[in-house]
Amino acid sequence: MNVSTLTTVFAQGPVEAPAIDFAAVAPILIVFGGACLGVLVEAFFPRHTRWTWQVVLALLSIGTAGLAFGLYLREFTNPTTTLADRLAVDRPALFLWGTLIALALAAVLLIADRTIEPGGSFVAQAAVRAGSVQDHALNIAPGGTGPAGMRTEIFPLTLFALGGMMVFTAANDLLTMFIALEVLSLPLYLMCGLARRRRLLSQEAAVKYFLLGAFASAFFLYGLALLYGYAGSVKLTDIATATTAGDRSDTLLFVGLGLLVVGLMFKASVGPFHAWTPDVYQGAPTPVTAFMAACTKVAAFGAIVRVFHVAFQASSWEWRGVLWAIAIASMAIGAVLGLTQTDIKRMIAYSSIAHAGFLLVGALALTEEGRSATLFYLLAYGFTTLAVFGIISLVRDADGEATHLSQWAGLAKRSPVTAWVFTFLLLALAGIPLTSGFIGKFVVFTAAVQDGMAPLVVIALLMSAVAAFFYLRVVVLMFFSDPAPDGPTVTVPGVFTTVAITLGVLVTLLLGVYPAVALDWVGPGLAFAP
C-alpha cells in the first residue's frame, strides 16, 4: 500500500467497527473461550490434574453456552445478521446450535468417562488401584489420560471443533463458511489420532482423513473463488440475486457450484465422497467417533441446507439432477456395502453414508417443509448415533473394544439390557415405527414427494429396506446365537456413559412417540435471515 492510498484512507475518517449482537453470538464466544482456557490448562497445570480440570472446564463451557443459548432463545423474535452480516441468527441456525450443544455435551460425557478403560473391567482397575498389578501390564491409562489412552488435549480440541460447527451452520457468506470449515476440521484430524491402544490404526485414520480433507477444502475454496467471479460477492444472498439476474457466466456458476458441492459432500460423508468414513469410524477412539458421527453430520447438512436454499434455489433446475444422482449413489453405497461389513463400527459408518443420502433427499426439497424435515432428521439421527457408539464402547475383551460382529454373538445372554437397548437403537436407524428414525424418514420423504421428487423417494424406500437387513442381522446375532466361551464382556458403564446413553435412548423414544415437541420448533415460519 503506497502513501497516497494511506492518505486517502485516513482522510475518510476513523473506521467504524461493525455492530455485534453479543447476546446472539454469546454461545459461540463461550465455547471458543472455554477452548482457549483448555489450552492454558494444558500449558500450565500439572499433568496429573489436567484430566479433572479439562472435564470440568469442557462441561462448564458447554453448559454455560447452553444457558446463554436458552436465554437468547426466550427473547428471539425475528431473524437477524451480525458481525457485518457474516453470521445469520435465524430459526434454522438456532435449532442447529441447540442440537449441537446438546450432542456435544453427551459426547464429552462419553469422552470423560474413565470407568471404561483399556483394561476392560472394574476388577482390573481395582487391582491396579490396590497395587497388586502394574498399570502397564493391563495397559490402563495413566493419570494424564483417559479412556483408550486418550490425552487431555482432546477436550479443548472438542470445544474448538464445536465452535467451528456452530459458525459453519450460521455462516452467511462462503468465506466465513470456509474458515469455519477449517476450524472444525483441523481439531477432528488430531482427535482421530489420539487413541493409544490401537495407535497404528488410529494414526492411519487420522492421516487419511487429513489428506482427503485437505483436497476437499481445496475444492471448496476454488469453488468459492469462481462463485466470487460470477457474483462479485461471496454473500449467499448476493449470489442468489446474481442467479436470478441471468446475465452472467453460467460456466462460472455451475463449475463453482460443483466444486463447492464436493467440499460440502465430503464433510457430510455423502457417497461417493465417503472414502474417509469407514476407516476413520473404525480407527478413531469410539467416543471421538460418536462426536464426529453425530455433530459433524448436523453441521455439514445445516450448511448444505443454507447454501442450497438461500444461494442457489433460483438455479435448482440446472443442478438438481446431479444432486439426485449423488443422493442415489450415497444411499446405494451405504446400504449395499454395509451388508458386507464384519466390523460393527465400519457397518455404522456405511449406515451413516446411507443416512446422508436420505438427508440429501430432504435438503433437495427446496421448500419450508424440506428444511423442517431435514433439521428434524438431523436431531433424531444425532442422538441415536451417539447412543449407538456409547453401547459399542461397553462391549470389550482383553484387547479392548470387541468390534468384530462374531464377538457380538449371544450378547443377549451375557447382558440382556445392553442387547435390548442396542436393538432399539438399531431399529431406530432402520426407521421402524415408534422411533425417531421412522418419523425422520416419514417427514423427509413426505416433503420430497410434495416437491415433486416421488421417483427419488421410491428409490430411498428401497434402499431403506436393504439397509434394514444389516441392522436386523446384528439383532439376530445377539439373540439367536450362542456366545463363545471366551467371548467379550459388557463393562458396567460409569455415570457419564450411562447419562449419555440414556439421553440418546430417551430422545429417540420421545421423538418417535411425540415428535411434535421438535416439529413445532421447526414448523411454519422456518425462514432464513435476509
Side-chain angles (χ1 to χ4, degrees):
M1 183 178 293
N2 55 37
V3 177
S4 60
T5 304
L6 288 174
T7 304
T8 303
V9 171
F10 288 119
Q12 294 175 351
V15 178
E16 294 186 5
I20 301 176
D21 188 346
F22 284 101
V25 299
I28 297 175
L29 297 178
I30 292 170
V31 169
F32 279 129
C36 294
L37 291 176
V39 173
L40 296 178
V41 169
E42 287 297 314
F44 297 108
F45 280 58
R47 181 174 181 179
H48 67 278
T49 66
R50 290 178 195 166
W51 187 266
T52 301
W53 280 106
Q54 292 285 24
V55 170
V56 172
L57 180 59
L59 294 177
L60 185 63
S61 299
I62 297 175
T64 306
L67 178 62
F69 167 78
L71 293 175
Y72 179 77
L73 188 63
R74 289 182 57 187
E75 305 298 328
F76 177 78
T77 53
N78 298 314
T80 185
T81 58
T82 185
L83 291 170
D85 294 337
R86 300 306 174 190
L87 285 185
V89 184
D90 46 30
R91 283 182 58 191
L94 292 174
F95 182 88
L96 292 166
W97 286 2
T99 302
L100 286 169
I101 289 171
L103 291 173
L105 181 63
V108 168
L109 291 176
L110 288 177
I111 295 170
D113 196 336
R114 303 190 67 183
T115 61
I116 305 173
E117 296 282 2
S121 69
F122 283 106
V123 175
Q125 297 166 50
V128 172
R129 288 192 291 267
S132 59
V133 181
Q134 294 297 318
D135 63 348
H136 60 78
L138 291 173
N139 198 23
I140 293 180
T145 58
M150 289 185 296
R151 300 184 62 84
T152 50
E153 292 93 334
I154 194 169
F155 293 101
L157 290 175
T158 301
L159 292 177
F160 276 121
L162 173 61
M165 292 173 186
M166 295 175 71
V167 175
F168 194 51
T169 59
N172 202 34
D173 69 82
L174 294 179
L175 187 58
T176 303
M177 191 171 287
F178 173 75
I179 296 171
L181 176 64
E182 295 306 296
V183 172
L184 76 90
S185 297
L186 293 175
L188 291 178
Y189 302 150
L190 296 173
M191 292 166 67
C192 289
L194 288 181
R196 287 186 171 185
R197 185 68 179 188
R198 296 188 292 178
R199 181 181 299 177
L200 291 179
L201 189 62
S202 177
Q203 291 178 350
E204 179 186 351
V207 170
K208 188 171 186 178
Y209 192 16
F210 169 73
L211 291 177
L212 294 177
F215 278 109
S217 296
F219 277 110
F220 187 101
L221 188 59
Y222 193 29
L224 181 158
L226 293 179
L227 289 171
Y228 177 78
Y230 168 78
S233 172
V234 292
K235 284 189 63 176
L236 300 181
T237 51
D238 291 342
I239 295 173
T241 302
T243 59
T244 57
D247 58 350
R248 312 203 182 190
S249 170
D250 288 343
T251 302
L252 285 177
L253 171 63
F254 294 118
V255 174
L257 176 58
L259 295 173
L260 195 72
V261 164
V262 171
L264 291 172
M265 296 298 140
F266 172 87
K267 187 52 61 179
S269 67
V270 178
F273 310 101
H274 68 284
W276 62 275
T277 311
D279 291 338
V280 171
Y281 274 43
Q282 182 184 20
T286 298
V288 174
T289 306
F291 176 70
M292 286 194 304
C295 294
T296 306
K297 190 79 73 180
V298 172
F301 271 99
I304 287 171
V305 169
R306 184 174 295 277
V307 167
F308 287 166
H309 288 235
V310 174
F312 300 105
Q313 186 166 5
S315 59
S316 60
W317 178 258
E318 287 84 358
W319 54 259
R320 207 181 210 183
V322 177
L323 271 295
W324 272 45
I326 293 176
I328 294 170
S330 186
M331 291 183 287
I333 290 170
V336 174
L337 294 185
L339 296 172
T340 67
Q341 302 306 307
T342 58
D343 185 277
I344 196 160
K345 290 175 73 174
R346 292 183 71 89
M347 187 195 78
I348 299 300
Y350 281 102
S351 165
S352 77
I353 296 166
H355 281 279
F358 302 143
L359 281 161
L360 194 55
V361 173
L364 290 176
L366 301 177
T367 60
E368 187 177 286
E369 290 77 11
R371 291 194 293 271
S372 301
T374 305
L375 297 186
F376 178 88
Y377 199 121
L378 289 171
L379 174 67
Y381 177 80
F383 278 100
T384 303
T385 303
L386 260 176
V388 163
F389 283 105
I391 294 293
I392 291 174
S393 70
L394 301 179
V395 183
R396 314 184 70 85
D397 58 15
D399 296 324
E401 291 172 352
T403 59
H404 198 279
L405 283 179
S406 62
Q407 296 174 293
W408 287 65
L411 187 70
K413 296 180 176 63
R414 296 182 182 273
S415 178
V417 174
T418 302
W420 279 108
V421 171
F422 197 60
T423 298
F424 173 72
L425 296 171
L426 291 177
L427 294 178
L429 291 176
I432 302 302
L434 299 182
T435 66
S436 61
F438 171 78
I439 302 297
K441 288 183 178 178
F442 178 80
V443 294
V444 162
F445 295 162
T446 300
V449 170
Q450 292 174 350
D451 201 34
M453 296 190 292
L456 186 59
V457 172
V458 171
I459 296 173
L461 289 172
L462 292 175
M463 292 300 104
S464 295
V466 174
F469 178 80
F470 58 74
Y471 299 127
L472 296 177
R473 179 180 61 173
V474 178
V475 175
V476 171
L477 195 64
M478 291 190 299
F479 284 91
F480 300 103
S481 299
D482 295 326
D486 57 345
T489 59
V490 178
T491 304
V492 178
V495 174
F496 285 171
T497 299
T498 302
V499 171
I501 294 174
T502 302
L503 179 63
V505 172
L506 289 179
V507 172
T508 301
L509 179 61
L510 177 63
L511 296 181
V513 298
Y514 187 59
V517 68
L519 288 175
D520 288 346
W521 189 3
V522 291
L526 191 69
F528 291 105

